[in-house]
Each structure stands twice: as structure tokens, then as C-alpha cells.
Amino acid sequence: MARRGEQSGTLLLEGLAAAPGIGIGVAVVWVRTEPVFPEYSLHPDRIETEIERFERAARDALAQIDAIRRPLVGVEIVDSILSTQAMILEDRQLRDDVARRVRSERINAEWALGLEMRRLDRLFAEMEDAYLRERRADVRDAARRLLLNLLGHEPDRLVELRGPAVIVASDLSPAEVSQLDRERVAGIVTEAGGRTSHTAIVATSLGLPTVVGVDGATARIGDGDVVVVDGDTGRVIARPSAREVENERRRERSRAALERAWLRHAVLPAETRDGRRVRLCGNVDSARDLEALARHGARGVGLFRTEFLYLNRSTPPDEEEQFRHYRAVVLGARPDPAVIRTLDLGADKVPAGLPRRSEANPALGLRGIRVSLARPEILRVQLRAMLRAAAHGRLRILIPMVSGIEEIRRTRELLEDVRLELEGSGAGLASSVELGAMVETPAAAAVADALALEVDFLSIGTNDLIQYTVAVDRENESVAYLYDGLHPAVLRAVRGVVDAAHAAGRPVAVCGELAADPAAAVVLVGLGVDELSMQAPAIPRVKARLRAVSLADARSLAGGLLALPTAREVGDRLGKAFRGSN
Ligand code: PEP
Ligand code: MG
């Protein structure tokens, strides 16, 4: 995908936009120097000393991870990735397997570790589940750290960079990204990786503009080259001319100025020009996101994705730990409500500790409420924690991946059961908690009238509703051109759900990414949606756009779009309607 630019020496590369923002810096082409595994046989007398040397190296490696992790406590995803590495090193199984090889094959610890790691690497590489395959990087990282300790080397530290640097690497593990110093790193470019890799998630959470999937980046970009990383578009410019650098700086400045300008809207009411109020809430993936809510003018939490609490650990969080998280979210949302979703595990979100069968079509398989009802003991703990947290504010429970009303009824039964249990135990709990259903499947959209009668509110998850309505895998780059929230089938489904819910007197939210697109937000409001939930930083921009239109305009725009036959025509009409707007 790389091509030479117009000006001699300038190189324009394209990849996948993985973490937003524009970063400009000096390339540090980071090629991992792979340590050599020394291999030698041992005299039987030396075997126990060798195993002790190995155990010491494992303890040192664990202490290093602990030292890196300590200042990152609270950066939840980073913390959990380092925890995975620690878990691998603490695992008796791995340590015993290496010791067994040292004993039975009478070989040195580095050799035994190398053999064991190659076996594990093959095992992970063959796993069908993409999430588990990605854990391979954590296993490799842990082994590498252990090996460097055995060899008496200081592990590589990307932390000692002089900034602003753009890290260019064939691959960068999440743990490596987590060690980067935000003050000194301007951006990241990698050859490997996808938008949903943990590397991308950590980079986003650290605010580092990142482009992944850039073919040949380490060969084409030289150490010391100036590099521009555009994490919004997926463009990477190496060796730009002075004019291009100035252009990009200007773009970055106007991007920052726009964000500041939008931030002024944070304090204004979210309403159309003619006074129609729309509730704008924040999507929260961890307690870390709570701080951004008030600053960006969020009215509570519209979606807390609880499954992130379960990933990267071998045992699920217990009731107490969940209760503490949910209470923090409820308190963070006050005086507004917090919508907390029951586990949406499955598909691309699989926790380390839950054994599961491989599935040919995981997106159509055991995920969301299907997992929770298949493992009611897990759902019960979650519901108990939620009911207890509800005593501290306004908590609403949301059920993901609903495909029929039986799932709602079964969940309600469990909820009532758990409530009786808690009442008997004397625990503090709220007198009532609202229950809502996500509309993410065409089935849920089609029976929205019946669904609405079973719940207190509906929330449309457009990320999945698009995937299932258009039959387009949301993770698959090769069919990404079909993944379009403006597809007439999606707009009609939203209108149908809104009409059905309103006929039953229930409010409707949209909590998928579509809500964060200012033009699409106007269309959703025009279709009658009552609430939009998005990552908090997107709120001011959406609010600014809503405040610039009247409800009548939004309705007539949405009505016109519904009559169009293709996504392209919808996009063109919308583009025309907002030409020149932010
Ligand atoms: C959605 O599908 O729109 C949604 C909000 O849920 P998730 O992105 O977690 O699948
Ligand atoms: Mg979803």
C-alpha cells in the first residue's frame, strides 16, 4: 500500500486508523534484538542449581512487571495486560514444565524455556478464537522478559526515549505500549495489528495517535526520519517537506482548537434550536472513563460495558469487586442514571478464564445474554452486585444481544430470585431497578413492539445492528465498504424500533458508534430517538450540531432519507445537508 509521494524522499503510507489524533515526531525504528538462546547439556550435579537459577529469574521478571505496573494502576486495560504477563510467569504449570525439561533432558534453563515457549506459541497460533490468538503476544513478552533475566540482560526499555518520538515497529505488544512515556512519544506505527487489537486499545487509552497494518513500515522509514501519524485517517507521512510538516501542524492546531471550541458546548443544554431536549450520555468501559463525563457535559452513563472487568484474568471478579465498580459508576453518573449492561462476552471478547468450545461463527454464537443464561451462576453474581450498587444512585440494567423476549423473561426471573435472596440477607438494595433490552439483532428490531412491553427502555446497539442487518462482519476489513450505518435497512430498522417503543410508552436510546457522528446524530433525533450515548469526548461536537438544527428540520431530513434506496444516496444527501458544518 506504500507509495512514493510527489516530492522526492517523501513517503506516504497507508494503514488502519487505530487510535485518534495527529502525532509528529522523529522515527525510532524499533527492531527487537532477539536474544540468542544458549544451548548446552548439564552435568546431573548441576540440575537443581539450574532450576534454582530459573526460579530466581522468574522472581526477578515478576518484580520488574510489578515495578512497571505500579504507576499504571487505574489505567485499567494496561494494568490488566501486565497482570496477564504476571499470571503467565506465576503459573506453576509453565515453571514446572520448564523444570521437568531441565531434569529429563538435562539441558540448561534457556534451552528448556525456548522449547517450552515454542510449544506454547504453536498452541496459541492454532487457536480458532481471535482473542485467544492475540494472547500469544503476552506469552511471548513474558518469555522474553524471563529469558533476558536468565541471560542477565536488562530488558529493552522503550521508556528511555528522547521525544517527541514516533515508534515504528513491525509489531508492538500491548505491554510494550504500556511502558511508553506519553510525554516523549508522539505516535505509533506498526506493520502488524488490527483496529481491535489490544495494542490499539492501550494506545487509545493512553492518547497516542496510532496507525497499524502499515506494510513495510520498518524497511521504508529510517531511524531519525520525521514522521507524521494521522490516527484519524490511517495516513503516515515519512520524511515530509517542511511545508507538509507545517500543514500537518496547522491541521493539528485547528483540530485542537475545534475540540476546545466544542468543549464550550459542554455546559449548554443538549437541545435543538426549537427546544427539543435530547439526553446525551457517556459510554464507559472502565472507571477511568468516569472523570471525562462531567467535563464533556454527559448526562449520566448510557452504557457501561461490564465485560472489560472480566477480560485478561483467569477468575471472574467476585460480587464484592463488581459491586465496588458498579457503585463507582453509579456515583460517577449522579444525579443522572447509569445504564450498566450485563456481560456481553463472546465473539471477540473472551476472558482468559472461561473455557469455551470453538465456534465457526462466533458473532452468531454464544455471546451476550446467551452466555449469561447458559452460565446463570455468573449472571446471578452480577445481578446481586448490581442490585446492591443500585442503592447508591440510579442504576438501570441493560441486556445485550437479545434475540427474543424469552431471554428478557428469564433474566427478570433471575433478577427477582436474586432480589429475594438479598432481601433475606439484609443487604442494602434499591426498591426497584429498571430493566432494558439492547436492540442489536434484526429479530429484536422486528419484535420491538412485544419487547417494549417487557422492559422499561430500549437501547439500540448500532455497532451490532449494522453487522447483523447488513450481514457484514464488523471486524472484517475486506467487507468494510458495506459496513454503513446509513444503509436504508438500518435507518428503517431504527424508525421501526422507535415507533414500537413509543407506542408502548418506552424511551429509546442509541449507544453504538453511530450516535457519536454529529450528522447521524441529527438523523437519529429526527427518527425520534430520545437519548444518545457515546464516548464522552464526542459529546460536545454532537451537542453543537444538535443545537444548530430544529426538530422540524431533523424530522424532515430523516423522513427524506428514509425514502432513499441506497446508502450512497443517503450519504450524499446528508453530506449536502451539512456541507460546511463541523
Ligand atoms: C453496539 O453493538 O452498538 C454496542 C454498543 O455494543 P458493543 O459495541 O459493545 O458490541
Ligand atoms: Mg453490541
Side-chain angles (χ1 to χ4, degrees):
M1 272 204 280
R3 64 179 167 88
R4 288 266 158 199
E6 296 287 285
Q7 276 155 300
S8 139
T10 298
L11 182 67
L12 177 63
L13 299 138
E14 277 166 36
L16 303 167
I22 297 171
I24 304 174
V26 175
V28 174
V29 180
W30 191 64
V31 182
R32 233 183 240 108
T33 43
E34 287 305 333
V36 182
F37 280 91
E39 298 179 356
Y40 47 85
S41 302
L42 292 176
H43 188 275
D45 289 353
R46 286 195 45 210
I47 285 177
E48 291 314 312
T49 330
E50 186 67 358
I51 290 170
E52 179 40 39
R53 185 171 76 87
F54 173 69
E55 287 291 336
R56 202 167 39 244
R59 284 196 296 275
D60 290 349
L62 275 166
Q64 284 155 5
I65 291 178
D66 191 47
I68 301 168
R69 198 165 71 176
R70 227 171 295 131
L72 292 166
V73 168
V75 182
E76 203 162 297
I77 189 84
V78 174
D79 191 27
S80 61
I81 285 159
L82 289 168
S83 304
T84 309
Q85 269 197 42
M87 234 163 60
I88 294 164
L89 291 177
E90 276 163 353
D91 184 9
R92 266 322 325 164
Q93 179 81 39
L94 170 69
R95 282 154 78 168
D96 289 350
D97 286 348
V98 172
R100 197 170 309 116
R101 269 188 200 271
V102 170
R103 278 201 187 95
S104 63
E105 298 174 37
R106 293 189 188 169
I107 54 176
N108 64 318
E110 289 89 340
W111 192 357
L113 174 65
L115 291 170
E116 205 42 47
M117 291 327 296
R118 279 200 281 279
R119 188 182 69 78
L120 281 178
D121 199 53
R122 271 197 306 275
L123 201 77
F124 274 83
E126 282 161 12
M127 287 189 176
E128 283 195 14
D129 187 281
Y131 180 83
L132 287 179
R133 262 198 323 271
E134 276 182 27
R135 301 282 66 73
R136 207 173 148 201
D138 296 325
V139 175
R140 271 202 219 129
D141 263 13
R144 197 181 137 72
R145 184 177 293 281
L146 191 44
L147 180 62
L148 287 166
N149 276 285
L150 272 172
L151 295 172
H153 295 330
E154 177 69 4
D156 297 299
R157 290 183 70 83
L158 278 168
V159 252
E160 280 134 29
L161 295 163
R162 259 174 280 147
V166 168
I167 313 294
V168 181
S170 60
D171 196 1
L172 213 51
S173 74
E176 283 160 346
V177 176
S178 72
Q179 294 181 51
L180 296 176
D181 180 345
R182 271 174 278 191
E183 299 301 311
R184 296 181 195 171
V185 177
I188 299 172
V189 178
T190 66
E191 292 170 339
R195 273 198 188 101
T196 55
S197 69
H198 261 136
T199 298
I201 295 171
V202 176
T204 306
S205 114
L206 294 179
L208 295 174
T210 298
V211 178
V212 301
V214 182
D215 215 15
T218 56
R220 288 156 188 250
I221 300 175
D223 227 359
D225 283 353
V226 171
V227 176
V228 177
V229 185
D230 187 337
D232 294 315
T233 62
R235 271 184 337 139
V236 175
I237 310 172
R239 305 185 288 278
S241 65
R243 223 168 92 205
E244 280 169 314
V245 170
E246 195 33 54
N247 273 345
E248 294 300 327
R249 291 227 158 91
R250 205 173 310 123
R251 277 187 60 222
E252 175 52 16
R253 279 197 298 272
S254 54
R255 190 182 189 279
L258 263 179
E259 287 206 347
R260 279 196 301 276
W262 289 322
L263 215 48
R264 286 202 289 274
H265 289 85
V267 291
L268 300 173
E271 61 185 19
T272 57
R273 247 181 15 222
D274 47 351
R276 156 74 193 235
R277 290 272 170 145
V278 182
R279 183 179 275 279
L280 299 184
C281 318
N283 284 358
V284 171
D285 294 344
S286 84
R288 173 172 36 91
D289 299 332
L290 290 173
E291 172 272 330
L293 293 177
R295 195 154 40 89
H296 292 93
R299 294 290 314 275
V301 173
L303 172 67
F304 175 41
R305 292 178 162 103
T306 57
E307 56 277 8
F308 281 95
L309 297 176
Y310 288 68
L311 302 180
N312 282 317
R313 54 194 295 167
S314 54
T315 49
D318 63 14
E319 181 182 322
E320 205 48 40
E321 183 182 342
Q322 290 189 51
F323 164 68
R324 282 199 304 274
H325 274 99
Y326 305 157
R327 185 182 52 188
V329 172
V330 164
L331 293 176
R334 276 209 309 205
D336 295 297
V339 176
I340 303 193
R341 181 168 78 178
T342 64
L343 273 182
D344 188 18
L345 290 174
D348 59 326
K349 294 178 281 196
V350 181
L354 270 189
R356 63 195 292 263
R357 247 177 346 108
S358 79
E359 296 174 293
N361 293 301
L364 301 181
L366 203 55
R367 66 165 293 199
I369 190 62
R370 302 170 186 182
V371 176
S372 298
L373 293 177
R375 302 284 302 267
E377 71 282 8
I378 295 178
L379 180 58
R380 290 178 79 97
V381 172
Q382 183 162 42
L383 294 176
R384 282 176 68 98
M386 286 183 184
L387 282 179
R388 286 175 53 204
H392 298 267
R394 298 168 63 192
L395 188 151
R396 294 177 176 163
I397 299 176
L398 181 61
I399 309 176
M401 188 63 188
V402 171
S403 41
I405 59 177
E406 301 90 334
E407 290 158 337
I408 305 293
R409 290 182 181 159
R410 182 74 193 113
T411 306
R412 214 182 259 292
E413 275 167 26
L414 283 171
L415 188 62
E416 286 318 308
D417 220 39
V418 161
R419 174 193 297 286
L420 288 176
E421 232 171 62
L422 279 172
E423 275 168 3
S425 75
L429 61 157
S431 53
S432 73
V433 176
E434 290 187 5
L435 190 65
M438 285 199 78
V439 179
E440 300 181 281
T441 63
V447 299
D449 51 348
L451 197 57
L453 295 175
E454 300 281 332
V455 292
D456 302 295
F457 65 99
L458 293 179
S459 186
I460 306 177
T462 46
N463 301 342
D464 278 315
L465 187 63
I466 298 166
Q467 150 161 283
Y468 297 122
T469 301
V470 188
V472 55
D473 183 348
R474 70 193 253 201
E475 316 279 341
N476 186 339
E477 274 309 298
S478 48
V479 286
Y481 68 96
L482 278 173
Y483 188 90
D484 194 338
L486 299 176
H487 192 296
V490 177
L491 296 183
R492 289 174 199 189
V494 171
R495 164 51 66 83
V497 172
V498 168
D499 289 348
H502 287 175
R506 306 287 189 269
V508 185
V510 168
C511 62
E513 297 304 304
L514 198 62
D517 177 320
V522 172
V523 178
L524 293 171
V525 169
L527 290 172
V529 170
D530 306 288
E531 174 182 309
L532 301 172
S533 192
M534 63 203 78
Q535 303 241 335
I539 289 178
R541 194 173 164 201
V542 167
K543 197 183 276 187
R545 181 67 66 84
L546 289 177
R547 290 177 56 81
V549 297
S550 69
L551 180 60
D553 289 345
R555 279 186 178 149
S556 95
L557 175 68
L561 298 182
L562 279 174
L564 296 174
T566 67
R568 155 84 69 91
E569 284 158 276
V570 174
D572 288 349
R573 171 90 58 98
L574 202 54
K576 253 186 231 142
F578 292 114
R579 189 165 294 148
S581 313
N582 285 327

